[in-house]
Amino acid sequence: MLILIIEVAFSFSVVCNMALMASHRVLAWHQESGLQESGLGMLSSTDRSSTGGDNHWARTVEAMRAIETISGVEAVAAVQSLPLNGNSYNISFSRSLPADSGNGEGVQVNAFIGSPNMVKLLGLEITKGRSFTRDEYVLNKDQGAALAEAGSVLVSEQLARKLFGLRNALGQVVYVERHPMRIIGIVKHLLSPAPTLGAENELTAIVPVLPNSDTITFLVRARSTDLDRMLHRSAQALFTANPNGVIENVWPYEDLRMKYFQHDVAMLRLMIYALVALLVVTIIGIAGLVSFWVSRRGKSIGVRRALGALRSDIIFHFLVENICVVVAGLCVGVAGAYTLNAYLIRHYGESPMSVIFLLFGIVLMVVAGQLASLGPAVRAAKIPPSAAMRGM
């Protein structure tokens, strides 16, 4: 019986923590980007013939015009980075002007820059305020100069709460890399380019700066059924406009999401397989031990049958006996689950386990224990009363 208690406690500890880690992968995979992902595609272009003094923005405008002429393309925009594309552009936000640029004050924010129609094309939801006007955009000739010229900014709701708490952030002035900017709009959701587990992944903002780089990501909006074809034709148009350009990463945005979270998906599948294997081994172990108990108690079962016990009484007896042992194992397993969780928090940055995962583990182990003992219990119920006379 002690062996069974230890087996249940070990399985319960592992199951609870595995469910916790799996839930994190599921939540990460389904994080809301803030974009209208359906019908959104992307392709990146790098101009190999450009030099440091080139006006890349002028070539970007020509490329967008070439894509816009394609029948079936609803809208085109150019951006430097996107949620989930891994290309982070970090700048510092603070509510007041830091006394020293190197004192580490402020909040590190993932900033997005792009063409004037970027906000509309992405389908971002502005809950307060407005978007930028074309007159507010400045060319990114130099990062510091561009931020100094840009006088307005859009921020996410999470960043607004981070900076101003419960106060209304709309209309407030923030200092972006020591340059004052006024918050003219608040975006409901805008995921960072490289979200991680357990982090504040929406500390993001949009700055009205036109991308001026030799590598640009073009966004294409089209009907979902035509998106692949429109992306292929857009790539052809870019190559025709600039044969020296290198075109890559031509795919729907939904594929970008799958690519970014492919390791989490693979880990989730591995956890599911491990969880199933652990439950199977636990069920086999419980069934084996209960079968052993039945074989050792055949004579006493026969006596009970001879005294009038029904088959259902024998089955109920073994099921109740099993659940008592499982509950004892769960009592030990709760301590084991929290101990393992503390280890994962300390060494792997996992979050503390909530009660819901304990309840999940309890239900799973009780059901598994009852299923494992049901077969041996039914076999015990079939022992005839004459078994009591054997060996006499």
Side-chain angles (χ1 to χ4, degrees), residues 25 36 71 73 190 252 347 360:
R25 269 68 188 178
Q36 292 182 5
S71 177
V73 172
L190 183 57
H347 296 282
F360 170 78

PDB file of all heavy atoms in Angstrom, residues 25 36 71 73 190 252 347 360:
ATOM      1  N   ARG A  25       2.261  27.623 -22.267  1.00  0.00           N
ATOM      2  CA  ARG A  25       2.503  27.529 -23.704  1.00  0.00           C
ATOM      3  C   ARG A  25       1.244  27.832 -24.494  1.00  0.00           C
ATOM      4  O   ARG A  25       1.282  28.512 -25.523  1.00  0.00           O
ATOM      5  CB  ARG A  25       3.026  26.138 -24.065  1.00  0.00           C
ATOM      6  CG  ARG A  25       4.533  25.987 -24.057  1.00  0.00           C
ATOM      7  CD  ARG A  25       5.101  26.096 -22.676  1.00  0.00           C
ATOM      8  NE  ARG A  25       6.560  26.143 -22.649  1.00  0.00           N
ATOM      9  CZ  ARG A  25       7.251  26.275 -21.539  1.00  0.00           C
ATOM     10  NH1 ARG A  25       6.643  26.378 -20.381  1.00  0.00           N
ATOM     11  NH2 ARG A  25       8.571  26.339 -21.582  1.00  0.00           N
ATOM     12  N   GLN A  36      -5.579  42.717 -36.929  1.00  0.00           N
ATOM     13  CA  GLN A  36      -6.554  41.911 -37.654  1.00  0.00           C
ATOM     14  C   GLN A  36      -5.748  40.972 -38.556  1.00  0.00           C
ATOM     15  O   GLN A  36      -5.380  41.322 -39.670  1.00  0.00           O
ATOM     16  CB  GLN A  36      -7.499  42.791 -38.463  1.00  0.00           C
ATOM     17  CG  GLN A  36      -8.433  43.634 -37.619  1.00  0.00           C
ATOM     18  CD  GLN A  36      -9.395  44.471 -38.452  1.00  0.00           C
ATOM     19  OE1 GLN A  36      -9.436  44.352 -39.686  1.00  0.00           O
ATOM     20  NE2 GLN A  36     -10.165  45.321 -37.802  1.00  0.00           N
ATOM     21  N   SER A  71      -4.246  44.299 -58.892  1.00  0.00           N
ATOM     22  CA  SER A  71      -5.684  44.104 -58.674  1.00  0.00           C
ATOM     23  C   SER A  71      -5.903  43.037 -57.602  1.00  0.00           C
ATOM     24  O   SER A  71      -5.376  41.938 -57.700  1.00  0.00           O
ATOM     25  CB  SER A  71      -6.356  43.672 -59.986  1.00  0.00           C
ATOM     26  OG  SER A  71      -7.718  43.409 -59.783  1.00  0.00           O
ATOM     27  N   VAL A  73      -5.219  43.739 -54.317  1.00  0.00           N
ATOM     28  CA  VAL A  73      -4.546  44.260 -53.130  1.00  0.00           C
ATOM     29  C   VAL A  73      -5.361  45.428 -52.587  1.00  0.00           C
ATOM     30  O   VAL A  73      -5.593  46.416 -53.293  1.00  0.00           O
ATOM     31  CB  VAL A  73      -3.105  44.702 -53.454  1.00  0.00           C
ATOM     32  CG1 VAL A  73      -2.492  45.427 -52.255  1.00  0.00           C
ATOM     33  CG2 VAL A  73      -2.256  43.495 -53.828  1.00  0.00           C
ATOM     34  N   LEU A 190      -1.357  45.759 -28.435  1.00  0.00           N
ATOM     35  CA  LEU A 190      -0.273  45.797 -29.417  1.00  0.00           C
ATOM     36  C   LEU A 190       0.878  44.989 -28.833  1.00  0.00           C
ATOM     37  O   LEU A 190       1.619  45.450 -27.961  1.00  0.00           O
ATOM     38  CB  LEU A 190       0.164  47.227 -29.714  1.00  0.00           C
ATOM     39  CG  LEU A 190       1.250  47.376 -30.782  1.00  0.00           C
ATOM     40  CD1 LEU A 190       0.819  46.736 -32.104  1.00  0.00           C
ATOM     41  CD2 LEU A 190       1.609  48.839 -30.992  1.00  0.00           C
ATOM     42  N   PRO A 252       1.719  34.693 -45.097  1.00  0.00           N
ATOM     43  CA  PRO A 252       0.646  35.318 -44.318  1.00  0.00           C
ATOM     44  C   PRO A 252       1.095  35.544 -42.880  1.00  0.00           C
ATOM     45  O   PRO A 252       1.943  34.816 -42.356  1.00  0.00           O
ATOM     46  CB  PRO A 252      -0.501  34.294 -44.391  1.00  0.00           C
ATOM     47  CG  PRO A 252      -0.169  33.422 -45.558  1.00  0.00           C
ATOM     48  CD  PRO A 252       1.322  33.389 -45.644  1.00  0.00           C
ATOM     49  N   HIS A 347      14.670  28.128 -10.574  1.00  0.00           N
ATOM     50  CA  HIS A 347      15.673  27.824 -11.600  1.00  0.00           C
ATOM     51  C   HIS A 347      15.203  28.088 -13.035  1.00  0.00           C
ATOM     52  O   HIS A 347      16.037  28.268 -13.924  1.00  0.00           O
ATOM     53  CB  HIS A 347      16.109  26.365 -11.475  1.00  0.00           C
ATOM     54  CG  HIS A 347      16.805  26.052 -10.187  1.00  0.00           C
ATOM     55  ND1 HIS A 347      18.120  26.379  -9.939  1.00  0.00           N
ATOM     56  CD2 HIS A 347      16.360  25.451  -9.039  1.00  0.00           C
ATOM     57  CE1 HIS A 347      18.473  25.989  -8.724  1.00  0.00           C
ATOM     58  NE2 HIS A 347      17.418  25.421  -8.155  1.00  0.00           N
ATOM     59  N   PHE A 360      -7.237  20.166 -10.802  1.00  0.00           N
ATOM     60  CA  PHE A 360      -7.117  19.384 -12.037  1.00  0.00           C
ATOM     61  C   PHE A 360      -6.394  18.069 -11.765  1.00  0.00           C
ATOM     62  O   PHE A 360      -6.818  16.995 -12.203  1.00  0.00           O
ATOM     63  CB  PHE A 360      -6.377  20.193 -13.092  1.00  0.00           C
ATOM     64  CG  PHE A 360      -5.985  19.405 -14.309  1.00  0.00           C
ATOM     65  CD1 PHE A 360      -6.910  19.101 -15.294  1.00  0.00           C
ATOM     66  CD2 PHE A 360      -4.668  18.949 -14.465  1.00  0.00           C
ATOM     67  CE1 PHE A 360      -6.548  18.366 -16.410  1.00  0.00           C
ATOM     68  CE2 PHE A 360      -4.301  18.216 -15.580  1.00  0.00           C
ATOM     69  CZ  PHE A 360      -5.249  17.921 -16.554  1.00  0.00           C
TER      70      PHE A 360
END
